Coordinates of all heavy atoms in Angstrom, one line a residue:
M26 N 22.4 -3.0 20.9 CA 22.3 -4.3 20.4 C 21.2 -4.5 19.4 O 21.3 -5.2 18.4 CB 22.1 -5.3 21.5 CG 22.1 -6.7 21.1 SD 23.7 -7.4 21.1 CE 23.4 -9.0 21.7
Q27 N 20.0 -3.8 19.6 CA 18.9 -3.9 18.7 C 19.2 -3.4 17.4 O 18.9 -4.0 16.3 CB 17.7 -3.2 19.3 CG 16.4 -3.4 18.6 CD 16.2 -2.4 17.6 OE1 16.7 -1.3 17.6 NE2 15.4 -2.7 16.5
P28 N 19.9 -2.2 17.2 CA 20.2 -1.7 15.9 C 21.1 -2.7 15.1 O 21.0 -2.9 13.9 CB 20.8 -0.4 16.1 CG 20.4 0.1 17.4 CD 20.2 -1.2 18.2
E29 N 22.0 -3.4 15.8 CA 22.9 -4.3 15.2 C 22.1 -5.5 14.6 O 22.4 -6.0 13.5 CB 24.0 -4.7 16.1 CG 25.0 -3.7 16.4 CD 24.6 -2.7 17.5 OE1 23.5 -3.0 18.1 OE2 25.3 -1.8 17.7
R30 N 21.2 -6.0 15.4 CA 20.4 -7.1 14.9 C 19.5 -6.8 13.8 O 19.4 -7.6 12.8 CB 19.5 -7.6 16.1 CG 20.2 -8.4 17.2 CD 19.3 -9.2 18.1 NE 18.2 -8.3 18.6 CZ 18.1 -8.0 19.9 NH1 18.8 -8.5 20.7 NH2 17.1 -7.2 20.2
T31 N 19.0 -5.6 13.8 CA 18.2 -5.1 12.7 C 19.0 -5.0 11.4 O 18.7 -5.4 10.3 CB 17.5 -3.8 13.0 OG1 16.7 -3.9 14.2 CG2 16.7 -3.3 11.8
T32 N 20.2 -4.5 11.6 CA 21.1 -4.4 10.4 C 21.5 -5.7 9.9 O 21.5 -5.9 8.6 CB 22.4 -3.6 10.9 OG1 22.1 -2.3 11.3 CG2 23.4 -3.5 9.7
L33 N 21.7 -6.7 10.7 CA 22.1 -8.0 10.3 C 20.9 -8.6 9.6 O 21.0 -9.3 8.5 CB 22.4 -8.9 11.5 CG 23.8 -8.6 12.1 CD1 24.0 -9.5 13.4 CD2 24.9 -8.9 11.2
A34 N 19.7 -8.3 10.0 CA 18.5 -8.9 9.3 C 18.4 -8.3 7.9 O 18.1 -9.0 6.9 CB 17.2 -8.6 10.1
W35 N 18.6 -7.0 7.8 CA 18.5 -6.4 6.5 C 19.7 -6.9 5.6 O 19.5 -7.1 4.4 CB 18.7 -4.9 6.6 CG 17.4 -4.2 7.0 CD1 17.0 -3.7 8.2 CD2 16.2 -4.0 6.1 NE1 15.8 -3.2 8.2 CE2 15.3 -3.4 6.9 CE3 15.9 -4.3 4.8 CZ2 14.0 -3.0 6.4 CZ3 14.7 -3.9 4.3 CH2 13.8 -3.3 5.1
N36 N 20.8 -7.2 6.2 CA 21.9 -7.8 5.4 C 21.6 -9.2 4.9 O 21.9 -9.5 3.8 CB 23.2 -7.9 6.3 CG 23.9 -6.5 6.4 OD1 23.6 -5.6 5.7 ND2 24.7 -6.4 7.4
R37 N 20.9 -10.0 5.7 CA 20.4 -11.3 5.3 C 19.4 -11.2 4.1 O 19.5 -12.0 3.2 CB 19.8 -12.1 6.4 CG 20.8 -12.6 7.4 CD 20.2 -13.6 8.4 NE 19.2 -12.9 9.2 CZ 19.4 -12.3 10.4 NH1 20.6 -12.3 10.9 NH2 18.4 -11.8 11.0
T38 N 18.6 -10.2 4.3 CA 17.6 -10.0 3.1 C 18.3 -9.6 1.9 O 18.0 -10.1 0.8 CB 16.6 -8.8 3.5 OG1 16.0 -9.2 4.7 CG2 15.6 -8.6 2.4
M39 N 19.3 -8.7 2.0 CA 20.0 -8.3 0.8 C 20.8 -9.5 0.2 O 20.8 -9.7 -1.0 CB 21.0 -7.2 1.2 CG 21.9 -6.7 0.0 SD 23.3 -5.8 0.6 CE 24.2 -7.0 1.6
L40 N 21.4 -10.3 1.1 CA 22.2 -11.5 0.6 C 21.2 -12.5 -0.1 O 21.6 -13.0 -1.1 CB 22.9 -12.1 1.8 CG 23.8 -13.3 1.4 CD1 24.9 -12.9 0.4 CD2 24.4 -13.9 2.7
A41 N 20.0 -12.7 0.4 CA 19.1 -13.6 -0.1 C 18.7 -13.1 -1.5 O 18.6 -13.9 -2.5 CB 17.9 -13.7 0.7
L42 N 18.5 -11.8 -1.7 CA 18.2 -11.3 -3.0 C 19.3 -11.5 -4.0 O 19.1 -11.8 -5.1 CB 17.9 -9.8 -2.9 CG 16.5 -9.4 -2.4 CD1 16.4 -7.9 -2.1 CD2 15.4 -9.8 -3.4
V43 N 20.5 -11.2 -3.5 CA 21.7 -11.4 -4.5 C 21.8 -12.9 -4.9 O 22.0 -13.2 -6.1 CB 23.0 -11.0 -3.8 CG1 24.2 -11.4 -4.6 CG2 22.9 -9.4 -3.6
V44 N 21.6 -13.9 -3.9 CA 21.7 -15.2 -4.3 C 20.5 -15.7 -5.3 O 20.8 -16.4 -6.3 CB 21.6 -16.1 -3.0 CG1 21.4 -17.6 -3.3 CG2 22.8 -15.9 -2.2
A45 N 19.3 -15.1 -5.0 CA 18.2 -15.4 -5.9 C 18.5 -14.8 -7.3 O 18.2 -15.5 -8.3 CB 16.9 -14.8 -5.4
G46 N 19.1 -13.7 -7.3 CA 19.5 -13.1 -8.6 C 20.5 -13.9 -9.4 O 20.4 -14.1 -10.6
V47 N 21.4 -14.4 -8.7 CA 22.5 -15.2 -9.3 C 21.9 -16.6 -9.8 O 22.2 -17.1 -10.9 CB 23.6 -15.5 -8.3 CG1 24.6 -16.6 -8.8 CG2 24.4 -14.3 -8.0
L48 N 20.9 -17.1 -9.0 CA 20.3 -18.4 -9.5 C 19.4 -18.1 -10.7 O 19.3 -19.0 -11.5 CB 19.4 -18.9 -8.3 CG 20.1 -19.5 -7.2 CD1 19.2 -19.9 -6.0 CD2 21.0 -20.7 -7.6
L49 N 18.9 -16.9 -10.9 CA 18.1 -16.6 -12.1 C 19.0 -16.7 -13.3 O 18.5 -16.9 -14.4 CB 17.5 -15.3 -12.0 CG 16.3 -15.2 -11.0 CD1 15.9 -13.7 -10.8 CD2 15.1 -15.9 -11.6
L50 N 20.3 -16.5 -13.1 CA 21.2 -16.4 -14.3 C 21.2 -17.8 -15.1 O 21.5 -17.9 -16.2 CB 22.6 -16.1 -13.9 CG 22.8 -14.6 -13.5 CD1 24.2 -14.4 -13.0 CD2 22.5 -13.7 -14.7
R51 N 21.0 -18.9 -14.3 CA 21.0 -20.2 -15.0 C 19.9 -20.4 -16.0 O 19.9 -21.2 -16.9 CB 20.9 -21.3 -13.9 CG 19.6 -21.4 -13.2 CD 19.6 -22.4 -12.2 NE 19.7 -23.7 -12.8 CZ 19.4 -24.8 -12.2 NH1 19.1 -24.9 -10.9 NH2 19.5 -26.0 -12.8
W52 N 18.8 -19.5 -16.0 CA 17.8 -19.6 -16.9 C 18.1 -18.7 -18.2 O 17.2 -18.8 -19.2 CB 16.5 -19.2 -16.3 CG 16.0 -20.1 -15.4 CD1 16.2 -21.5 -15.3 CD2 15.1 -19.9 -14.2 NE1 15.6 -22.0 -14.2 CE2 14.9 -21.1 -13.5 CE3 14.5 -18.7 -13.8 CZ2 14.1 -21.2 -12.4 CZ3 13.8 -18.8 -12.6 CH2 13.6 -20.0 -12.0
V53 N 19.1 -17.9 -18.2 CA 19.4 -17.1 -19.3 C 19.5 -17.8 -20.7 O 19.0 -17.5 -21.7 CB 20.6 -16.1 -19.0 CG1 21.0 -15.4 -20.3 CG2 20.3 -15.2 -18.0
P54 N 20.3 -19.0 -20.7 CA 20.4 -19.7 -21.9 C 19.1 -20.3 -22.4 O 18.9 -20.4 -23.6 CB 21.4 -20.8 -21.6 CG 22.1 -20.3 -20.4 CD 21.2 -19.5 -19.6
R55 N 18.2 -20.6 -21.5 CA 17.0 -21.2 -21.9 C 15.8 -20.2 -22.3 O 15.0 -20.5 -23.1 CB 16.4 -22.1 -20.8 CG 17.2 -23.3 -20.6 CD 16.7 -24.2 -19.5 NE 17.1 -25.5 -19.7 CZ 16.3 -26.6 -19.5 NH1 15.1 -26.4 -19.1 NH2 16.8 -27.8 -19.8
H56 N 15.8 -19.0 -21.6 CA 14.7 -18.1 -21.7 C 15.2 -16.8 -22.2 O 14.3 -15.8 -22.3 CB 14.0 -18.0 -20.4 CG 13.4 -19.2 -19.9 ND1 12.3 -19.8 -20.5 CD2 13.7 -20.0 -18.8 CE1 12.0 -20.9 -19.8 NE2 12.9 -21.1 -18.8
G57 N 16.4 -16.5 -22.5 CA 16.8 -15.2 -23.1 C 17.0 -14.1 -22.0 O 17.5 -14.4 -20.9
W58 N 16.8 -12.9 -22.4 CA 17.2 -11.7 -21.7 C 16.3 -11.5 -20.4 O 16.7 -10.8 -19.5 CB 17.1 -10.5 -22.5 CG 15.7 -10.3 -23.0 CD1 15.2 -10.7 -24.2 CD2 14.7 -9.5 -22.4 NE1 13.9 -10.3 -24.3 CE2 13.5 -9.6 -23.2 CE3 14.6 -8.8 -21.2 CZ2 12.3 -9.0 -22.8 CZ3 13.4 -8.2 -20.8 CH2 12.3 -8.3 -21.7
F59 N 15.1 -12.1 -20.4 CA 14.2 -11.8 -19.3 C 14.8 -12.2 -17.9 O 14.8 -11.3 -17.0 CB 12.8 -12.5 -19.5 CG 11.8 -12.0 -18.6 CD1 11.2 -10.7 -18.7 CD2 11.3 -12.8 -17.5 CE1 10.2 -10.3 -17.9 CE2 10.4 -12.3 -16.6 CZ 9.8 -11.1 -16.8
P60 N 15.4 -13.3 -17.7 CA 16.0 -13.7 -16.4 C 17.2 -12.8 -16.1 O 17.4 -12.4 -14.9 CB 16.4 -15.1 -16.6 CG 15.6 -15.7 -17.7 CD 15.3 -14.5 -18.6
L61 N 17.8 -12.3 -17.1 CA 19.0 -11.4 -16.9 C 18.4 -10.1 -16.4 O 19.0 -9.4 -15.5 CB 19.8 -11.1 -18.2 CG 21.0 -10.2 -18.1 CD1 21.9 -10.8 -17.1 CD2 21.6 -10.0 -19.4
G62 N 17.3 -9.6 -16.9 CA 16.7 -8.4 -16.4 C 16.2 -8.6 -15.0 O 16.3 -7.7 -14.1
L63 N 15.7 -9.8 -14.6 CA 15.4 -10.0 -13.2 C 16.5 -10.0 -12.3 O 16.5 -9.5 -11.1 CB 14.6 -11.3 -13.1 CG 13.2 -11.4 -13.6 CD1 12.6 -12.8 -13.5 CD2 12.3 -10.4 -12.9
T64 N 17.7 -10.6 -12.8 CA 18.9 -10.5 -12.0 C 19.3 -9.1 -11.7 O 19.7 -8.7 -10.6 CB 20.0 -11.2 -12.7 OG1 19.6 -12.6 -12.9 CG2 21.3 -11.2 -12.0
L65 N 19.2 -8.2 -12.7 CA 19.5 -6.8 -12.6 C 18.6 -6.1 -11.6 O 19.0 -5.3 -10.7 CB 19.6 -6.1 -13.9 CG 20.7 -6.6 -14.9 CD1 20.5 -5.8 -16.2 CD2 22.0 -6.3 -14.2
L66 N 17.3 -6.5 -11.6 CA 16.3 -5.9 -10.6 C 16.6 -6.4 -9.2 O 16.5 -5.6 -8.3 CB 14.9 -6.4 -11.0 CG 14.3 -5.6 -12.2 CD1 12.9 -6.2 -12.5 CD2 14.1 -4.1 -11.7
T67 N 17.0 -7.6 -9.0 CA 17.3 -8.1 -7.7 C 18.6 -7.4 -7.2 O 18.6 -7.0 -6.0 CB 17.5 -9.6 -7.6 OG1 18.5 -10.0 -8.5 CG2 16.2 -10.4 -7.9
A68 N 19.6 -7.2 -8.1 CA 20.7 -6.5 -7.7 C 20.4 -5.0 -7.3 O 20.9 -4.5 -6.3 CB 21.8 -6.6 -8.8
A69 N 19.5 -4.4 -8.1 CA 19.1 -3.0 -7.8 C 18.4 -2.9 -6.4 O 18.6 -2.0 -5.7 CB 18.3 -2.5 -8.9
T70 N 17.5 -3.9 -6.2 CA 16.8 -3.9 -4.9 C 17.8 -4.1 -3.7 O 17.7 -3.5 -2.7 CB 15.8 -5.1 -4.9 OG1 14.9 -4.9 -6.0 CG2 15.0 -5.1 -3.6
A71 N 18.8 -5.0 -3.9 CA 19.8 -5.2 -2.9 C 20.6 -3.9 -2.6 O 20.9 -3.6 -1.5 CB 20.7 -6.3 -3.2
L72 N 20.9 -3.2 -3.7 CA 21.6 -1.9 -3.6 C 20.8 -0.9 -2.8 O 21.4 -0.1 -2.0 CB 22.1 -1.4 -4.9 CG 23.2 -2.1 -5.6 CD1 23.5 -1.6 -7.0 CD2 24.5 -2.0 -4.7
V73 N 19.5 -0.9 -3.1 CA 18.6 0.1 -2.4 C 18.6 -0.3 -0.9 O 18.7 0.7 0.0 CB 17.2 0.1 -3.0 CG1 16.2 0.8 -2.1 CG2 17.2 0.7 -4.4
I74 N 18.6 -1.5 -0.5 CA 18.6 -1.9 0.8 C 19.9 -1.5 1.5 O 19.9 -1.0 2.6 CB 18.4 -3.4 1.0 CG1 16.9 -3.8 0.6 CG2 18.6 -4.0 2.4 CD1 16.6 -5.3 0.5
T75 N 21.0 -1.8 0.8 CA 22.3 -1.4 1.3 C 22.4 0.1 1.5 O 23.0 0.6 2.5 CB 23.4 -1.9 0.3 OG1 23.3 -3.3 0.2 CG2 24.8 -1.6 0.9
A76 N 21.9 0.8 0.5 CA 22.0 2.3 0.6 C 21.2 2.9 1.9 O 21.7 3.9 2.4 CB 21.4 3.0 -0.6
G77 N 20.1 2.1 2.3 CA 19.4 2.6 3.5 C 19.9 2.1 4.7 O 19.4 2.5 5.8
Q78 N 20.9 1.3 4.8 CA 21.4 0.7 6.0 C 21.9 1.7 7.0 O 21.5 1.7 8.2 CB 22.5 -0.3 5.8 CG 22.1 -1.6 5.1 CD 21.3 -2.5 6.2 OE1 20.3 -2.1 6.6 NE2 21.9 -3.5 6.5
A79 N 22.7 2.6 6.6 CA 23.3 3.6 7.5 C 22.2 4.5 8.1 O 22.2 4.8 9.3 CB 24.3 4.5 6.8
R80 N 21.2 4.9 7.3 CA 20.1 5.7 7.8 C 19.3 4.9 8.8 O 18.9 5.5 9.8 CB 19.1 6.1 6.6 CG 17.9 6.9 7.0 CD 17.0 7.2 5.8 NE 16.7 5.9 5.1 CZ 15.7 5.1 5.4 NH1 15.0 5.3 6.4 NH2 15.5 4.0 4.6
R81 N 19.0 3.6 8.5 CA 18.2 2.8 9.5 C 18.9 2.7 10.8 O 18.4 2.7 11.9 CB 17.8 1.5 8.9 CG 16.7 1.6 7.9 CD 16.2 0.1 7.5 NE 17.2 -0.5 6.7 CZ 17.3 -0.3 5.3 NH1 16.4 0.4 4.7 NH2 18.2 -0.9 4.6
Y82 N 20.2 2.5 10.7 CA 21.0 2.2 11.9 C 21.0 3.5 12.8 O 20.8 3.5 14.0 CB 22.5 1.8 11.6 CG 23.3 1.5 12.7 CD1 23.3 0.3 13.3 CD2 24.1 2.5 13.3 CE1 24.0 0.0 14.5 CE2 24.8 2.2 14.4 CZ 24.8 0.9 15.0 OH 25.6 0.7 16.1
R83 N 21.3 4.6 12.1 CA 21.3 5.9 12.9 C 19.9 6.2 13.5 O 19.9 6.6 14.7 CB 21.7 7.1 11.9 CG 23.1 7.2 11.7 CD 23.4 8.5 11.0 NE 22.6 8.7 9.8 CZ 23.0 8.4 8.6 NH1 24.1 7.8 8.4 NH2 22.2 8.7 7.5
R84 N 18.9 5.9 12.8 CA 17.5 6.2 13.3 C 17.2 5.3 14.5 O 16.7 5.7 15.6 CB 16.5 6.0 12.3 CG 15.1 6.5 12.7 CD 14.2 6.5 11.6 NE 13.7 5.2 11.2 CZ 13.0 4.9 10.2 NH1 12.5 5.8 9.5 NH2 12.6 3.7 10.0
S85 N 17.7 4.0 14.5 CA 17.5 3.0 15.6 C 18.3 3.5 16.8 O 17.8 3.5 17.9 CB 17.8 1.6 15.2 OG 17.0 1.2 14.2
A86 N 19.5 3.8 16.5 CA 20.4 4.3 17.7 C 19.8 5.5 18.3 O 19.8 5.6 19.5 CB 21.9 4.5 17.1
R87 N 19.4 6.5 17.5 CA 18.8 7.7 18.0 C 17.5 7.3 18.8 O 17.2 7.9 19.9 CB 18.5 8.7 16.9 CG 18.1 10.0 17.3 CD 17.9 11.1 16.2 NE 17.3 10.5 15.0 CZ 17.7 10.3 13.8 NH1 19.0 10.7 13.6 NH2 17.1 9.8 12.8
G88 N 16.7 6.4 18.3 CA 15.5 6.0 19.0 C 15.8 5.4 20.3 O 15.1 5.6 21.3
I89 N 16.8 4.5 20.4 CA 17.2 4.0 21.7 C 17.6 5.1 22.7 O 17.2 5.1 23.9 CB 18.3 2.9 21.5 CG1 17.7 1.7 20.9 CG2 19.0 2.6 22.9 CD1 18.8 0.7 20.5
R90 N 18.4 6.0 22.2 CA 18.9 7.1 23.0 C 17.6 7.9 23.6 O 17.6 8.4 24.7 CB 19.8 8.1 22.3 CG 20.4 9.1 23.1 CD 21.2 10.1 22.3 NE 20.2 10.8 21.4 CZ 20.4 11.2 20.2 NH1 21.6 11.1 19.6 NH2 19.5 11.8 19.5
D91 N 16.7 8.2 22.7 CA 15.5 9.0 23.0 C 14.4 8.2 23.7 O 13.5 8.8 24.1 CB 15.0 9.7 21.8 CG 16.0 10.6 21.1 OD1 16.9 11.0 21.9 OD2 15.8 10.9 20.0
G92 N 14.5 6.9 23.7 CA 13.5 6.1 24.4 C 12.3 5.7 23.5 O 11.3 5.2 24.0
R93 N 12.4 6.0 22.2 CA 11.3 5.7 21.4 C 11.8 5.3 20.0 O 12.6 6.0 19.4 CB 10.3 6.8 21.2 CG 9.2 6.5 20.3 CD 8.3 7.6 20.1 NE 7.3 7.3 19.1 CZ 6.4 8.0 18.7 NH1 6.2 9.2 19.2 NH2 5.5 7.5 17.8
I94 N 11.4 4.1 19.5 CA 11.8 3.6 18.2 C 10.6 3.4 17.4 O 9.7 2.7 17.7 CB 12.6 2.3 18.3 CG1 13.9 2.5 19.1 CG2 13.0 1.7 16.8 CD1 14.6 1.2 19.4
D95 N 10.6 4.1 16.2 CA 9.5 3.9 15.3 C 9.9 2.9 14.3 O 11.0 2.8 13.8 CB 9.2 5.2 14.5 CG 8.6 6.3 15.5 OD1 7.9 5.9 16.5 OD2 9.0 7.5 15.3
A96 N 9.0 2.0 13.9 CA 9.2 1.0 12.9 C 9.4 1.6 11.5 O 8.8 2.6 11.2 CB 8.0 0.0 12.9
D97 N 10.3 0.9 10.7 CA 10.5 1.4 9.4 C 9.5 0.7 8.5 O 9.8 -0.2 7.7 CB 12.0 1.0 9.0 CG 12.3 1.5 7.6 OD1 11.6 2.3 7.0 OD2 13.4 1.1 7.1
V98 N 8.3 1.2 8.5 CA 7.2 0.6 7.8 C 7.4 0.7 6.3 O 7.2 -0.2 5.6 CB 5.8 1.3 8.2 CG1 4.7 0.8 7.4 CG2 5.6 1.1 9.7
A99 N 7.9 1.9 5.8 CA 8.1 2.0 4.4 C 9.1 1.1 3.9 O 9.0 0.5 2.8 CB 8.4 3.5 4.1
G100 N 10.2 0.9 4.6 CA 11.3 0.1 4.2 C 10.8 -1.4 4.1 O 11.1 -2.1 3.2
V101 N 10.1 -1.8 5.2 CA 9.6 -3.3 5.2 C 8.6 -3.5 4.1 O 8.6 -4.5 3.4 CB 9.0 -3.5 6.6 CG1 8.3 -4.9 6.6 CG2 10.1 -3.5 7.6
L102 N 7.7 -2.5 3.9 CA 6.6 -2.6 2.9 C 7.2 -2.6 1.5 O 6.9 -3.4 0.7 CB 5.6 -1.5 3.1 CG 4.4 -1.6 2.1 CD1 3.6 -2.8 2.5 CD2 3.5 -0.4 2.4
G103 N 8.2 -1.7 1.3 CA 8.8 -1.6 0.0 C 9.6 -2.9 -0.3 O 9.5 -3.5 -1.4
T104 N 10.3 -3.5 0.7 CA 11.0 -4.7 0.4 C 10.0 -5.9 0.2 O 10.3 -6.7 -0.7 CB 11.9 -5.0 1.7 OG1 12.8 -3.9 1.9 CG2 12.6 -6.3 1.4
T105 N 8.9 -5.9 0.9 CA 8.0 -7.0 0.8 C 7.4 -6.9 -0.7 O 7.3 -8.0 -1.3 CB 6.8 -6.8 1.8 OG1 7.4 -6.9 3.1 CG2 5.8 -7.9 1.6
V106 N 7.0 -5.8 -1.1 CA 6.4 -5.6 -2.5 C 7.5 -6.0 -3.5 O 7.2 -6.7 -4.4 CB 5.9 -4.1 -2.7 CG1 5.6 -3.9 -4.1 CG2 4.7 -3.9 -1.8
A107 N 8.7 -5.5 -3.3 CA 9.7 -5.9 -4.3 C 10.0 -7.4 -4.4 O 10.1 -7.9 -5.5 CB 11.1 -5.2 -3.9
V108 N 10.1 -8.0 -3.2 CA 10.3 -9.5 -3.2 C 9.2 -10.2 -3.8 O 9.3 -11.2 -4.5 CB 10.7 -10.0 -1.8 CG1 10.7 -11.5 -1.7 CG2 12.0 -9.4 -1.4
A109 N 7.9 -9.8 -3.5 CA 6.7 -10.5 -4.0 C 6.7 -10.3 -5.6 O 6.4 -11.3 -6.3 CB 5.5 -10.0 -3.4
L110 N 7.0 -9.1 -6.0 CA 7.0 -8.8 -7.5 C 8.1 -9.7 -8.2 O 7.9 -10.3 -9.2 CB 7.2 -7.4 -7.7 CG 7.2 -6.9 -9.2 CD1 5.8 -7.2 -9.8 CD2 7.5 -5.5 -9.3
L111 N 9.3 -9.7 -7.6 CA 10.4 -10.5 -8.2 C 10.0 -11.9 -8.2 O 10.3 -12.7 -9.2 CB 11.7 -10.2 -7.5 CG 12.3 -8.8 -7.7 CD1 13.4 -8.6 -6.8 CD2 12.7 -8.7 -9.1
G112 N 9.4 -12.5 -7.2 CA 9.0 -13.8 -7.1 C 8.0 -14.2 -8.2 O 8.0 -15.2 -8.9
A113 N 7.0 -13.3 -8.3 CA 6.0 -13.5 -9.4 C 6.6 -13.5 -10.8 O 6.3 -14.3 -11.6 CB 4.9 -12.4 -9.3
L114 N 7.5 -12.6 -11.0 CA 8.2 -12.5 -12.3 C 9.1 -13.8 -12.5 O 9.1 -14.3 -13.6 CB 9.0 -11.3 -12.4 CG 8.2 -9.9 -12.5 CD1 9.2 -8.8 -12.5 CD2 7.4 -9.9 -13.8
A115 N 9.6 -14.3 -11.5 CA 10.4 -15.5 -11.6 C 9.5 -16.7 -12.0 O 9.9 -17.6 -12.8 CB 11.2 -15.8 -10.4
L116 N 8.3 -16.7 -11.4 CA 7.3 -17.7 -11.8 C 7.0 -17.6 -13.3 O 6.8 -18.6 -13.9 CB 6.1 -17.7 -10.9 CG 6.2 -18.3 -9.5 CD1 5.0 -18.0 -8.7 CD2 6.5 -19.7 -9.6
V117 N 6.9 -16.4 -13.8 CA 6.6 -16.2 -15.1 C 7.7 -16.8 -16.0 O 7.4 -17.5 -17.0 CB 6.4 -14.7 -15.5 CG1 6.4 -14.4 -17.0 CG2 5.2 -14.1 -14.8
V118 N 8.9 -16.7 -15.5 CA 10.0 -17.3 -16.3 C 9.9 -18.8 -16.4 O 10.0 -19.4 -17.4 CB 11.4 -16.9 -15.7 CG1 12.5 -17.7 -16.3 CG2 11.7 -15.4 -15.8
V119 N 9.6 -19.4 -15.3 CA 9.5 -20.9 -15.2 C 8.3 -21.4 -15.9 O 8.3 -22.4 -16.7 CB 9.5 -21.3 -13.7 CG1 9.2 -22.8 -13.6 CG2 10.8 -20.9 -13.0
V120 N 7.1 -20.8 -15.7 CA 5.9 -21.3 -16.3 C 5.5 -20.8 -17.6 O 5.1 -21.6 -18.5 CB 4.7 -21.0 -15.2 CG1 3.4 -21.4 -15.7 CG2 5.1 -21.6 -13.9
A121 N 5.7 -19.6 -17.9 CA 5.1 -19.0 -19.1 C 6.0 -18.7 -20.3 O 5.6 -18.8 -21.4 CB 4.4 -17.7 -18.7
L122 N 7.3 -18.5 -20.0 CA 8.2 -18.2 -21.1 C 8.6 -19.4 -21.9 O 8.8 -20.5 -21.3 CB 9.5 -17.6 -20.6 CG 9.3 -16.2 -20.1 CD1 10.7 -15.6 -19.8 CD2 8.8 -15.3 -21.2
P123 N 8.6 -19.4 -23.2 CA 8.9 -20.5 -24.0 C 10.5 -20.8 -23.9 O 11.2 -19.9 -23.7 CB 8.5 -20.1 -25.4 CG 8.6 -18.6 -25.4 CD 8.2 -18.2 -24.0
L124 N 10.8 -22.1 -24.1 CA 12.2 -22.4 -24.1 C 12.8 -22.1 -25.5 O 12.1 -22.0 -26.5 CB 12.4 -23.9 -23.9 CG 11.9 -24.5 -22.6 CD1 12.0 -25.9 -22.5 CD2 12.8 -23.8 -21.5
R125 N 14.1 -21.7 -25.5 CA 14.8 -21.4 -26.7 C 15.4 -22.6 -27.4 O 15.7 -23.5 -26.9 CB 15.9 -20.4 -26.4 CG 15.4 -19.1 -26.0 CD 16.5 -18.3 -25.5 NE 16.9 -17.3 -26.6 CZ 18.0 -16.7 -26.6 NH1 18.8 -16.7 -25.6 NH2 18.3 -15.9 -27.6

């Protein structure tokens, strides 16, 4: 049950990134290509999360079988950094970029 819950949590993170990327598209007419680039970055981040799902699930299932589960520190840290960076870049779009 624990690997399934972890997989669902990663899926929610991926879905939130996709939704945020789609919302960035509304700024393309006002701010040009930069929001489109952010949308592509959010999509790429979501794809990286999706690509790692099977590996994380297998590792969790193996950890339950062996009685020891190590946290996916690199995955969580990488996702945190990516989301913080994308959020900061989205703020740049709203605050600093001139309107067209």
Side-chain angles (χ1 to χ4, degrees):
M26 183 91 139
Q27 188 270 337
E29 288 83 5
R30 286 193 308 243
T31 303
T32 299
L33 289 173
W35 281 104
N36 285 341
R37 285 191 298 270
T38 302
M39 179 197 59
L40 182 62
L42 281 170
V43 169
V44 169
V47 169
L48 288 175
L49 288 169
L50 288 175
R51 69 185 291 197
W52 291 333
V53 169
R55 291 179 155 221
H56 298 292
W58 63 270
F59 192 74
L61 183 60
L63 287 179
T64 298
L65 294 176
L66 278 175
T67 57
T70 304
L72 285 175
V73 168
I74 290 172
T75 301
Q78 285 290 67
R80 178 185 50 83
R81 281 189 290 273
Y82 184 86
R83 281 192 306 268
R84 192 167 74 182
S85 294
R87 189 174 43 243
I89 288 174
R90 184 189 67 215
D91 297 341
R93 179 181 174 178
I94 299 174
D95 296 324
D97 185 11
V98 175
V101 172
L102 187 62
T104 303
T105 301
V106 168
V108 168
L110 181 64
L111 289 169
L114 290 173
L116 280 175
V117 167
V118 171
V119 173
V120 175
L122 286 183
L124 295 176
R125 292 172 95 190

